[in-house]
Amino acid sequence: MAKKTVASLQTSSKRLTKAIKMVKSPKTGAYTFVEAVMTPEAVNDWLNSK
């Protein structure tokens, strides 16, 4: 399960997006959130990766 943030981040001339992914820990079974800032084109690849 994953979600994308609505707001995009602007830095100088590059357009960046912050993506948040919910990851389940195999050890405890608890969910944690992993955040990353990347280009909008790379978001879907990052969300689909494990």
Side-chain angles (χ1 to χ4, degrees):
M1 216 174 166
K3 64 179 179 178
K4 285 191 225 179
T5 59
V6 176
S8 63
L9 305 172
Q10 299 288 333
T11 60
S12 62
S13 64
K14 287 190 174 184
R15 212 174 121 225
L16 299 174
T17 303
K18 181 178 182 181
I20 302 171
K21 180 169 41 172
M22 191 165 68
V23 179
K24 187 174 184 178
S25 171
K27 214 177 221 185
T28 63
Y31 285 95
T32 59
F33 293 96
V34 179
E35 299 179 8
V37 177
M38 63 195 77
T39 61
E41 295 81 23
V43 172
N44 285 333
D45 292 334
W46 183 75
L47 288 175
N48 292 332
S49 68
K50 279 218 167 198

